[in-house]
């Protein structure tokens, strides 16, 4: 009932604001240029490796209609600490595809997207509607969006297990040109999740003196609803020598009593006419979910039970560097403009109340867990 009411209110609000924004339309805008992207991504850290390619193609069929197709492939192998403590390492593949349509009317841009992500034990399908409007002499952009997602959750080795979850999202934002060199944006998003929201393979641990190890395990139990809210402020300042500074701050809280915030600072610097360097640092911290514990005192200690480290009290810091190179005409395709980019992030995770069960120290006295990860993205973009 709560989710249905939220959806109905969101649709009414979205429709009313869509009509209002359309009425603000004055002069015609233009669609983004046609492009093709080829990306390779890699994540390695904490016993987990995720890598694979993705391809994006965007093509206009007229000055007012454009289509986008996107395909993403993940190869996942995991021997993370929460896997090897209770199960065997595993490998799997995830295929994700997305198809979108954009329609431009004067200064109102509307888009519709369909997405599907498929794994051996998980199928996610979603659609989204978005609208944005340039107004006030193109100094202001207003944007709104609605999304719905439906997920099927299965468990490998158990043909009888099948669960579902749903997700509703509504988002709104404003982007503003404040001065010739300074722009800022503010975006908010509300999310309502319902259904089966936990991982069917994950367990919690509890004290059990009847077994030699002194610890036993049982399946996690989550609430069947989760309401979340996030707000993000961003600003960019463009320097006279074609460099730029940027800043992001995001705050998040939900009905599971998780509160999180992250701040990011970055700098882009040109080298000549064809090379651009980017540097960034980002800090993230969150509190734990109200039903999380690293070690419960006994079996069924409370109604809801979780030991997912991503629901614990933790923080991480990211250092990133990137380089973008405008390819010369001699290696481009005809009259197209092409660029190649390489980005690397180093992330350090520190968990404040999640212990490493594979380490020595005795049950409940193991050291707190931490690990580092490397994320690499290499891609080529062709504009035509």
């Amino acid at each position: 009932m709560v989710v249905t009411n939220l959806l109905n209110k969101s649709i009414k609000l979205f429709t009313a604001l869509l009509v209002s924004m359309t009425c603000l339309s004055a002069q015609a805008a233009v669609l983004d240029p046609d492009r093709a992207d080829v990306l390779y991504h890699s994540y390695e850290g904490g016993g987990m490796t995720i890598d694979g390619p993705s391809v994006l193609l965007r093509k206009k069929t007229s000055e007012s209609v454009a289509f986008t197709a996107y395909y993403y492939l993940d190869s996942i192998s995991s021997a993370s600490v929460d896997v090897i403590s209770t199960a065997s390492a595993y490998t799997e593949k995830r295929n994700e595809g997305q198809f979108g349509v954009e329609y431009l009317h004067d200064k109102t841009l509307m888009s519709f997207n369909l997405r599907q992500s498929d794994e051996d034990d998980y199928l996610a399908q979603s659609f989204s509607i978005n609208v944005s409007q340039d107004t006030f002499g193109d100094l202001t952009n207003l944007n709104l969006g609605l999304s719905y997602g439906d997920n099927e959750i299965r468990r490998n080795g158990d043909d009888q297990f099948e669960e579902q979850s749903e997700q509703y999202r509504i988002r709104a934002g404003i982007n503003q040109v404040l001065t010739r060199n300074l722009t800022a944006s503010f975006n908010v998003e509300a999310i309502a999740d319902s259904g089966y929201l936990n991982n069917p393979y994950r367990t919690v641990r509890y004290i059990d003196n009847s077994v030699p190890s002194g610890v036993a395990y049982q399946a996690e139990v989550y609430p069947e609803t989760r309401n979340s809210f996030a707000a993000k402020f961003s600003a960019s300042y463009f320097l006279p020598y074609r460099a730029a500074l940027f800043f992001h701050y995001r705050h998040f809280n939900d009905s599971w009593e998780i509160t999180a915030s992250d701040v990011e600072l970055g700098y882009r610097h040109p080298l000549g006419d064809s090379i651009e360097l980017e540097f960034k640092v980002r800090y993230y911290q969150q509190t734990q979910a109200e039903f999380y514990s690293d070690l419960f005192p006994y079996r069924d200690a409370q109604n809801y039970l979780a030991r997912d480290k991503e629901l614990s009290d933790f923080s991480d810091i990211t250092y990133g560097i990137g380089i973008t190179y405008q390819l010369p005409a001699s290696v481009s395709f005809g009259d197209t403009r092409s660029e190649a980019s390489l980005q690397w992030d180093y992330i350090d995770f520190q968990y404040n109340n999640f212990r490493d069960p594979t380490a020595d120290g005795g049950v409940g006295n193991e050291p707190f867990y931490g690990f580092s990860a490397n994320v690499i993205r290499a891609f080529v973009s062709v504009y035509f």
Side-chain angles (χ1 to χ4, degrees):
M1 180 63 70
V2 173
V3 172
T4 302
N5 290 338
L6 176 62
L7 179 62
N8 291 335
K9 291 177 181 178
S10 299
I11 292 173
K12 290 178 181 178
L13 175 63
F14 182 83
T15 304
L17 292 176
L18 174 59
V19 172
S20 300
M21 289 169 60
T22 304
C23 291
L24 291 172
S25 189
Q27 301 174 352
V30 294
L31 291 169
D32 289 336
D34 296 341
R35 64 184 292 177
D37 292 353
V38 178
L39 164 74
Y40 171 78
H41 67 279
S42 171
Y43 172 97
E44 186 169 356
M48 177 174 287
T49 300
I50 306 172
D51 64 352
S54 70
V55 178
L56 178 145
L57 178 63
R58 173 189 168 81
K59 185 72 177 78
K60 291 184 290 187
T61 58
S62 68
E63 294 304 313
S64 59
V65 178
F67 294 90
T68 302
Y70 170 79
Y71 175 73
Y72 189 88
L73 173 65
D74 272 338
S75 296
I76 304 168
S77 61
S78 180
S80 62
V81 64
D82 25 10
V83 170
I84 61 176
S85 61
T86 57
S88 301
Y90 68 89
T91 60
E92 64 180 10
K93 292 186 180 295
R94 180 173 70 92
N95 292 275
E96 179 179 320
Q98 181 172 304
F99 177 77
V101 181
E102 292 181 355
Y103 174 68
L104 178 66
H105 176 68
D106 290 335
K107 291 194 174 185
T108 303
L109 177 64
M110 290 166 280
S111 64
F112 178 80
N113 294 280
L114 293 171
R115 171 184 167 273
Q116 176 170 301
S117 177
D118 190 13
E119 304 172 46
D120 289 342
D121 52 3
Y122 197 90
L123 175 64
Q125 297 175 314
S126 65
F127 71 85
S128 63
I129 303 171
N130 301 280
V131 60
S132 68
Q133 170 74 49
D134 290 332
T135 187
F136 301 124
D138 293 339
L139 298 178
T140 303
N141 175 271
L142 305 174
N143 59 83
L144 292 166
L146 279 174
S147 300
Y148 169 75
D150 179 71
N151 309 304
E152 295 180 8
I153 304 102
R154 298 178 295 274
R155 184 164 57 199
N156 289 330
D158 184 356
D159 296 336
Q160 305 301 314
F161 184 91
E162 184 172 339
E163 298 285 351
Q164 285 191 312
S165 66
E166 294 179 301
Q167 184 178 85
Y168 302 90
R169 292 175 177 256
I170 181 170
R171 53 197 170 272
I174 180 171
N175 301 282
Q176 181 68 45
V177 178
L178 298 173
T179 70
R180 185 169 67 176
N181 295 328
L182 179 62
T183 64
S185 65
F186 182 70
N187 295 274
V188 296
E189 183 177 49
I191 307 171
D193 293 284
S194 65
Y196 187 83
L197 304 181
N198 52 297
N199 186 317
Y201 304 103
R202 196 178 299 279
T203 60
V204 302
R205 62 177 191 165
Y206 61 91
I207 296 175
D208 186 351
N209 294 321
S210 67
V211 297
S213 65
V215 64
Y217 295 86
Q218 69 175 108
E220 286 187 325
V221 182
Y222 283 15
E224 293 188 352
T225 60
R226 183 183 188 183
N227 298 316
S228 311
F229 179 81
K232 182 178 181 180
F233 172 78
S234 301
S236 299
Y237 185 77
F238 299 92
L239 299 166
Y241 49 95
R242 297 188 298 113
L245 295 166
F246 58 89
F247 167 83
H248 305 289
Y249 175 77
R250 180 177 180 270
H251 181 79
F252 169 91
N253 61 78
D254 68 9
S255 58
W256 292 358
E257 296 191 5
I258 293 177
T259 299
S261 60
D262 64 85
V263 60
E264 181 178 336
L265 297 171
Y267 174 69
R268 295 191 184 101
H269 185 84
L271 294 177
D273 295 328
S274 58
I275 297 177
E276 183 179 81
L277 298 178
E278 179 177 323
F279 307 91
K280 70 176 182 181
V281 59
R282 173 183 176 269
Y283 177 75
Y284 173 88
Q285 66 84 29
Q286 75 168 47
T287 62
Q288 71 171 56
E290 61 177 335
F291 51 91
Y292 168 87
S293 179
D294 177 70
L295 179 64
F296 289 94
Y298 50 86
R299 184 179 180 88
D300 297 324
Q302 55 194 45
N303 291 334
Y304 300 117
L305 309 157
R307 194 179 173 268
D308 183 352
K309 64 181 184 296
E310 304 310 311
L311 298 184
S312 71
D313 183 317
F314 77 95
S315 63
D316 66 67
I317 187 166
T318 302
Y319 303 97
I321 185 172
I323 182 170
T324 300
Y325 176 57
Q326 299 287 339
L327 298 175
S330 59
V331 296
S332 296
F333 301 93
D335 297 329
T336 62
R337 176 173 66 89
S338 306
E339 64 182 28
S341 294
L342 179 64
Q343 299 175 353
W344 171 66
D345 290 345
Y346 173 83
I347 313 174
D348 181 63
F349 296 88
Q350 295 298 325
Y351 295 87
N352 301 320
N353 60 351
F354 178 88
R355 298 182 182 273
D356 182 354
T358 65
D360 296 330
V363 175
N365 294 306
E366 306 95 338
F368 291 122
Y369 185 61
F371 73 95
S372 61
N374 289 282
V375 183
I376 297 174
R377 298 175 299 281
F379 59 94
V380 175
S381 299
V382 179
Y383 300 86
F384 53 93

